[in-house]
């Protein structure tokens, strides 16, 4: 019977696995929005950017606190990295318009960012057929929902809120 020493093969395998690139979930922009590449950033960079500064998004500093977000149950909560990556993407769009055509219906609206099963949707709730806000204002609402609806330390909150300075545009953060 032959004895084969697998230790060198095993060590070679481990060194190859250790050098594999780290896999990062892809941030997917919504239809009609700029690609991540056009912003000269990568999905990995969106995940690596720091979380939005909490004091700016705390309830006491939120000027529309009387219009608190409507929170969803914990089963709808996104991972914190996924919510932050979508926040960072939308915030990097700045004054690009995030627009919803038509009225919001349950489960409807337009997805403006998705990653790792987490999605940010927007929907029109106003009297007109169309509503739009700057994407950075949609990002602000994403962070508001993430912080104010958070029920677990390892997940971002889930729910809906109006876009910053636009009561006709609803922003949803959910899985």
């Amino acid at each position: 019977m032959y004895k084969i020493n697998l230790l060198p093969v095993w060590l070679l395998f481990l060194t190859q696995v250790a050098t594999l690139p780290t896999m990062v979930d892809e941030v997917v922009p919504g239809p009609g929005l700029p690609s991540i590449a056009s912003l000269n950033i990568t999905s990995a960079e969106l995940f690596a950017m720091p979380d939005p500064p909490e004091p700016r998004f705390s309830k006491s500093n939120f000027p529309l606190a009387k219009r608190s977000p409507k929170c969803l149950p914990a089963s709808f909560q996104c991972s914190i990295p996924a919510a932050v990556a979508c926040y960072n993407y939308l915030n990097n769009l700045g004054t690009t318009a995030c627009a919803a055509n038509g009225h919001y219906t349950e489960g409807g609206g337009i997805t403006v960012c998705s990653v790792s099963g987490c999605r940010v949707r927007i929907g029109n709730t106003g009297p007109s057929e169309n509503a739009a806000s700057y994407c950075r204002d949609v990002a602000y609402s994403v962070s508001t929902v993430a912080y104010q609806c958070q029920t677990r330390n390892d997940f971002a909150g889930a729910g809906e809120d109006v876009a910053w300075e636009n009561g006709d545009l609803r922003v949803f953060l959910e899985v």
Side-chain angles (χ1 to χ4, degrees):
M1 177 180 268
Y2 294 102
K3 284 189 170 187
I4 300 174
N5 185 358
L6 294 178
L7 184 60
V9 175
W10 183 246
L11 289 174
L12 179 63
F13 171 75
L14 288 178
T15 59
Q16 294 302 313
V17 170
T19 60
L20 289 176
T22 304
M23 299 301 290
V24 174
D25 290 332
E26 201 62 34
V27 176
V28 180
L33 291 176
S35 69
I36 294 169
S38 71
L39 298 174
N40 294 319
I41 53 178
T42 65
S43 286
E45 289 171 320
L46 290 172
F47 274 95
M49 289 177 183
D51 293 357
E54 186 175 357
R56 178 176 172 208
F57 301 112
S58 69
K59 217 173 212 176
S60 62
N61 291 335
F62 187 52
L64 298 178
K66 63 183 179 198
R67 298 172 81 171
S68 294
K70 177 183 172 188
C71 299
L72 294 172
S75 60
F76 290 91
Q77 293 184 347
C78 297
S79 72
I80 291 173
V84 169
C86 274
Y87 165 86
N88 286 330
Y89 167 71
L90 293 167
N91 197 46
N92 272 285
L93 293 179
T95 57
T96 300
C98 280
N101 297 322
H103 289 283
Y104 164 74
T105 56
E106 193 64 37
I110 297 169
T111 299
V112 292
C113 179
S114 61
V115 61
S116 305
C118 179
R119 67 182 179 158
V120 176
R121 288 185 300 123
I122 58 173
N124 181 14
T125 60
S128 68
E129 283 297 313
N130 304 310
S133 285
Y134 292 148
C135 288
R136 71 175 181 213
D137 296 340
V138 171
Y140 187 98
S141 296
V142 167
S143 65
T144 301
V145 170
Y147 284 120
Q148 293 188 26
C149 293
Q150 187 177 25
T151 60
R152 298 171 44 180
N153 288 338
D154 55 340
F155 283 89
E160 65 179 87
D161 192 17
V162 294
W164 179 250
E165 297 184 348
N166 185 351
D168 290 343
L169 188 68
R170 283 266 176 208
V171 178
F172 304 85
L173 174 63
E174 63 197 0
V175 290

